[in-house]
Amino acid sequence: MLSIISPIMRIVEIPMLALQRLLGINKLAWVFLLPNLILFGLFAFLPVILNIFYATTGGDNVLLADRPYVGARNFGTLTDCSNFLDPNSCREDKFWRAVWNTVWFVTLQVGFMVGFSLLTAIILNRDIRARGFFRSVFFFPVLLSPVVVALVWKWILQREGVLNAFLDWTGVGGINWLVSADWAFGWSVFISVWAHMGFYTLILLAGLQAIPRDVYEAALMDRSSPWRTFRRITLPLLSPTMLVVLVLAMIKGVQTFDEVYAFTGGGPGTATTFIIQYIYEEGFAGAPRLFGLSAAASLLVAGVLVLLTLVQLWANRSNVDG
């Protein structure tokens, strides 16, 4: 094998040496990065640019050449409201229902996600029996497909499902979990936390294990209470990792689509219709297909996510500097 590889490497070495003499050793790294940068540009920057073009054009034609320029009309349609807190007062009321559903979903989901993930990470970081087994158990739902997760829980929660069969057996009586708007929304939050908590637990567990043990030993020698140790040592040293988890969980929460769509289809009514489902239905599932409105909504969501991320990074930097 070596006798085959060596001649090939000598051939490759010729143009690489020429590039090194031409560009210099410092700029040669860009030659190796160029293929990845091209792929990243094709699949990241180019879609964003195309999205901007679609957001400023109208009609239901796919080709940009066949789409008339409308400027900011699509953004105006989405933001045409007399009261943003009341979707019924908005021209595109379904969009604002999806926005407020997403806001409530992200608030509850991220709060429960971070809280339970932190609690689980602290427990799994302790010297408990079968610690490796429990770590695997909590991480296992992350490995499942979102559609599989949704279908399994739908099978459990449907009117003739496993949970209602158990409630009927105990004499409590079954509940139409997926027909009630409040129950459907609550279960959507629960399922999302259950499915993704293991990923954030793993990140927080790594952050906890990176904290030096001698800091805790010093706190123990000073007879610091467990709560004081957690508040004065664990949380401050874990704050950079917590910020990463918070940002990732928030972005993931806003992008929630496949689990909830397979679980409830956005219903009952629009109770579990979130912003990504609105974008999908307006651009691909509706008739006519309003690509411009869908693209404008996606750009608004992207702008809000970037703004929230910058605010969180600024807040974290202020805490560090303070």
Side-chain angles (χ1 to χ4, degrees), residues 103 250 254 297-311:
V103 169
M250 183 171 295
V254 174
S298 66
L299 289 176
L300 289 177
V301 172
V304 170
L305 285 176
V306 170
L307 181 61
L308 288 174
T309 303
L310 292 176
V311 169

Side-chain angles (χ1 to χ4, degrees), residues 99-142:
V99 167
W100 286 114
N101 286 342
T102 304
V103 169
W104 283 111
F105 178 84
V106 171
T107 302
L108 294 173
Q109 189 241 28
V110 172
F112 285 121
M113 184 88 73
V114 174
F116 284 121
S117 296
L118 179 59
L119 178 62
T120 307
I122 292 174
I123 294 173
L124 294 179
N125 192 45
R126 299 173 66 87
D127 189 15
I128 60 176
R129 184 175 298 178
R131 183 171 58 178
F133 169 77
F134 286 112
R135 288 178 180 177
S136 302
V137 167
F138 278 100
F139 190 75
F140 176 74
V142 181

Side-chain angles (χ1 to χ4, degrees), residues 161-183:
V162 176
L163 182 56
N164 277 338
F166 174 76
L167 293 177
D168 288 334
W169 177 73
T170 58
V172 176
I175 299 175
N176 289 322
W177 303 107
L178 304 182
V179 175
S180 169
D182 292 335
W183 279 118

Side-chain angles (χ1 to χ4, degrees), residues 43-280:
F43 293 100
F45 291 120
L46 182 60
V48 172
I49 295 172
L50 290 175
N51 211 33
I52 294 174
F53 280 112
Y54 275 101
T56 55
T57 56
D60 57 354
N61 293 312
V62 177
L63 297 177
L64 287 174
D66 299 330
R67 298 178 58 82
Y69 177 76
V70 297
R73 190 174 71 186
N74 290 317
F75 295 97
T77 300
L78 293 175
T79 56
D80 185 7
C81 283
S82 58
N83 182 6
F84 290 102
L85 298 178
D86 181 14
N88 292 323
S89 67
C90 301
R91 179 178 176 184
E92 194 64 23
D93 61 312
K94 186 178 179 182
F95 171 75
W96 285 101
R97 293 182 193 280
V99 167
W100 286 114
N101 286 342
T102 304
V103 169
W104 283 111
F105 178 84
V106 171
T107 302
L108 294 173
Q109 189 241 28
V110 172
F112 285 121
M113 184 88 73
V114 174
F116 284 121
S117 296
L118 179 59
L119 178 62
T120 307
I122 292 174
I123 294 173
L124 294 179
N125 192 45
R126 299 173 66 87
D127 189 15
I128 60 176
R129 184 175 298 178
R131 183 171 58 178
F133 169 77
F134 286 112
R135 288 178 180 177
S136 302
V137 167
F138 278 100
F139 190 75
F140 176 74
V142 181
L143 304 177
L144 299 177
S145 166
V147 176
V148 171
V149 170
L151 293 179
V152 167
W153 279 101
K154 189 174 183 178
W155 172 67
I156 294 173
L157 297 171
Q158 61 188 352
R159 183 61 186 88
E160 304 298 329
V162 176
L163 182 56
N164 277 338
F166 174 76
L167 293 177
D168 288 334
W169 177 73
T170 58
V172 176
I175 299 175
N176 289 322
W177 303 107
L178 304 182
V179 175
S180 169
D182 292 335
W183 279 118
F185 187 88
W187 278 111
S188 297
V189 174
F190 171 82
I191 291 170
S192 181
V193 173
W194 178 84
H196 303 287
M197 188 183 74
F199 173 73
Y200 302 106
T201 298
L202 192 65
I203 297 176
L204 291 173
L205 184 60
L208 287 172
Q209 292 178 344
I211 299 176
R213 304 305 304 175
D214 54 358
V215 178
Y216 290 109
E217 293 173 0
L220 185 62
M221 293 176 63
D222 291 337
R223 296 185 178 180
S224 176
S225 64
W227 169 246
R228 183 179 177 87
T229 301
F230 174 76
R231 186 165 54 91
R232 295 296 183 88
I233 296 177
T234 303
L235 276 184
L237 294 179
L238 196 63
S239 59
T241 308
M242 289 282 289
L243 178 65
V244 172
V245 168
L246 187 63
V247 172
L248 291 178
M250 183 171 295
I251 293 175
K252 180 65 177 177
V254 174
Q255 294 177 338
T256 296
F257 169 65
D258 39 11
E259 285 172 359
V260 178
Y261 189 71
F263 180 57
T264 64
T270 57
T272 56
T273 299
F274 301 133
I275 188 64
I276 302 302
Q277 181 177 339
Y278 170 84
I279 294 171
Y280 164 74

